[in-house]
Amino acid sequence: MVHCGRVLFRKYGNFIDNVRLFIKGGSGGMGYPRLGGEGGKGGDVWIVAHKKMTLKQLKDKYPQKRFVAEGGANSRISALKGSKGKDYEIPVPVGISITDENGKIIGELNKEGDRILVAEGGLGGKLLTNFLPLKGQRRIIHLDLKLIADVGLVGFPNAGKSSLLSRVSHAKPAIADYAFTTLKPELGKIMYDDFKQISVADLPGLIEGAHMNKGMGHKFLKHIERTRQLLFVVDIGGFQLSSQTKYRTAFETIILLTKELELYKEELQTKPALLAVNKMDLPDAQDKFHELVNQLQNPKDFLHLFDKNMIPERTMEFQHIIPISALTGEGIEELKNYIRRSLDEHANQENEAYHKKQLLNLRISNIASYSEPLSKQTIASSRMDII
Ligand SMILES: Nc1nc2c(ncn2[C@@H]2O[C@H](COP(=O)(O)OP(=O)(O)OP(=O)(O)O)[C@@H](O)[C@H]2O)c(=O)[nH]1
Ligand SMILES: [Mg+2]
């Protein structure tokens, strides 16, 4: 059974691009009426951007998704001015926009270390408040990873990513017979007959060592992170950067790309992915394609041929492998259909999960209205647990 679960999980991926949080500033401390002492202010809640963080990690680490900062200290004889409660810092990835419950934008975090105050602690009790403390600000916020596109093209240089984009959209990216033609992400839109549109980001090529900033490195991996799904594009003829570097077969390029994603952020490997095997118009392409499919189906039989540090912990699970030629147009319609189907499937799954949650909410509020002994407080907190 565990095995089944794992297969499902792998098939659909578990990439998370949004999350809802309950946050609350700490309450203020009590004042000291007799001596005019002032309670400490409650701690504030901040959202802070960290390069290595992902929304999945945030959700796994804090499944309840409740963040409450520390209360301020009460005023005492030994410390008439109560000390401030500790702030709470919620770590999130870079490239996040934060909105409140009504969809109003609170702010954006675009680079490492950016921080935004999202809930203020309550003031401590003092003369003005009759020495009674104030509660901290409480609210629900949404974090959204700012996606640049539905689909991101991932591949070695020269695989034909830009050629593919120009085939499926009106975009006119630069195409040339040398590595690193594309220097920054280029967006295109696939238009379907029923007016559905899917955005595709053509990304610069990746090479071995990208995670250590070889080639153009991190900059590109960061863009891959901000797409909903991945479309690997490989040249059936393989890749060689220069006469000084090793020739890599199509299978090797897939393994190396997987390893680079894994070394950058393991979560990238869990995104739904398709594989387009390009340049099928080249001589011997059919034979090489069959060999590639065999290698992908039985990766263990071939992985021992790699250096140990190049073998990924787990191989990519492609939902489909589609042979294409960006030059002749072969396989392009099929590819467009698979892209659409894959995105639709994923959206359905998210909807299903959303409806399940709504149903659960409904059940809980029904229980709440029929059972008197439950205090409002209990209901409120149990509802919070399932946001
Ligand atoms: N024979 C053949 N050549 C192709 C095909 N697709 C692309 N090419 C050629 O491969 C070369 C590289 O194509 P690009 O589209 O620039 O490749 P890229 O993956 O965007 O490369 P970078 O931007 O450097 O990462 C060009 O000379 C294309 O004409 C194909 O299906 N068949
Ligand atoms: Mg290109």
Side-chain angles (χ1 to χ4, degrees):
M1 275 300 109
V2 171
H3 178 68
C4 275
R6 227 177 67 197
V7 170
L8 260 182
F9 155 79
R10 279 198 174 186
K11 180 168 177 207
Y12 295 114
N14 62 352
F15 172 70
I16 293 173
D17 58 22
N18 66 80
V19 61
R20 183 172 183 254
L21 311 177
F22 169 76
I23 51 167
K24 185 171 174 300
S27 302
M30 296 285 283
Y32 204 129
R34 211 150 46 85
L35 300 173
E38 190 178 325
K41 183 177 178 269
D44 304 320
V45 182
W46 293 82
I47 306 269
V48 184
H50 289 277
K51 246 195 236 153
K52 282 278 164 191
M53 195 64 194
T54 67
L55 286 184
K56 171 86 172 42
Q57 280 169 356
L58 180 70
K59 212 172 150 202
D60 288 349
K61 197 162 169 202
Y62 308 97
Q64 314 247 310
K65 293 178 277 172
R66 283 173 65 87
F67 301 89
V68 181
E70 193 182 59
N74 294 340
S75 164
R76 287 170 288 138
I77 293 187
S78 54
L80 275 184
K81 172 104 181 74
S83 53
K84 182 177 185 289
K86 213 168 137 214
D87 289 350
Y88 202 119
E89 292 195 353
I90 306 175
V92 302
V94 176
I96 286 284
S97 80
I98 308 170
T99 45
D100 69 10
E101 258 224 299
N102 305 317
K104 197 171 149 244
I105 292 186
I106 299 172
E108 292 191 341
L109 301 167
N110 293 319
K111 56 180 193 315
E112 170 84 6
D114 277 1
R115 49 197 293 130
I116 290 182
L117 176 68
V118 283
E120 261 204 82
L123 290 176
K126 52 181 147 187
L127 186 61
L128 205 72
T129 63
N130 212 7
F131 297 96
L132 292 173
L134 297 184
K135 284 200 171 139
Q137 187 184 7
R138 52 186 291 163
R139 67 205 298 205
I140 283 178
I141 57 168
H142 293 264
L143 306 183
D144 286 285
L145 194 61
K146 293 187 293 172
L147 294 176
I148 53 174
D150 296 316
V151 179
L153 302 185
V154 178
F156 267 62
N158 232 23
K161 301 178 292 301
S162 304
S163 308
L164 173 61
L165 183 74
S166 68
R167 261 275 165 198
V168 296
S169 73
H170 294 299
K172 302 259 172 294
I175 295 170
D177 190 16
Y178 54 83
F180 299 120
T181 311
T182 303
L183 296 172
K184 58 176 178 39
E186 186 105 19
L187 288 180
K189 275 211 165 85
I190 310 182
M191 309 278 203
Y192 292 86
D193 290 342
D194 60 353
F195 305 111
K196 163 126 184 147
Q197 299 184 3
I198 288 176
S199 57
V200 179
D202 174 22
L203 302 169
L206 287 169
I207 54 168
E208 293 157 57
H211 71 282
M212 295 179 338
N213 263 338
K214 272 209 185 145
M216 314 225 183
H218 269 152
K219 262 203 305 208
F220 301 165
L221 288 158
K222 182 181 80 190
H223 295 308
I224 294 175
E225 199 179 347
R226 288 170 55 179
T227 59
R228 216 178 288 281
Q229 300 207 356
L230 305 180
L231 175 57
F232 275 52
V233 183
V234 301
D235 182 337
I236 190 60
F239 173 76
Q240 189 165 22
L241 186 59
S242 73
S243 54
Q244 278 99 55
T245 58
K246 257 192 180 165
Y247 162 77
R248 299 293 186 191
T249 64
F251 177 64
E252 285 171 335
T253 62
I254 294 168
I255 295 297
L256 292 167
L257 285 168
T258 309
K259 186 71 189 172
E260 290 304 326
L261 298 193
E262 178 186 293
L263 288 170
Y264 178 68
K265 262 182 201 177
E266 252 174 78
E267 194 198 356
L268 291 186
Q269 264 179 292
T270 65
K271 284 196 193 202
L274 295 173
L275 170 63
V277 183
N278 192 30
K279 307 199 186 179
M280 286 303 293
D281 55 284
L282 292 177
D284 299 337
Q286 284 301 338
D287 291 347
K288 284 186 179 156
F289 180 71
H290 287 132
E291 193 186 336
L292 173 63
V293 171
N294 182 31
Q295 287 166 320
L296 288 170
Q297 280 169 345
N298 310 290
K300 289 221 168 70
D301 297 348
F302 301 94
L303 284 176
H304 65 275
L305 302 170
F306 287 80
D307 280 354
K308 249 208 186 121
N309 57 1
M310 282 162 42
I311 304 174
E313 298 277 320
R314 37 187 237 194
T315 45
M316 239 20 232
E317 298 257 332
F318 295 109
Q319 293 180 2
H320 294 282
I321 301 173
I322 310 114
I324 62 161
S325 166
L327 194 71
T328 65
E330 176 195 339
I332 297 291
E333 279 311 305
E334 286 90 331
L335 175 64
K336 279 164 68 175
N337 291 336
Y338 278 123
I339 291 175
R340 177 169 184 168
R341 212 181 296 164
S342 172
L343 280 163
D344 284 350
E345 249 173 48
H346 204 64
N348 278 344
Q349 257 186 285
E350 281 185 352
N351 277 345
E352 246 172 59
Y354 176 76
H355 284 303
K356 264 190 202 150
K357 253 187 219 169
Q358 294 292 87
L359 215 62
L360 203 61
N361 267 334
L362 202 66
R363 279 201 203 121
I364 287 172
S365 52
N366 278 344
I367 294 168
S369 50
Y370 289 121
S371 55
E372 286 297 7
L374 278 176
S375 73
K376 270 192 183 145
Q377 184 64 42
T378 333
I379 295 158
S381 59
S382 52
R383 280 180 95 171
M384 283 310 165
D385 290 347
I386 52 164
I387 8 175

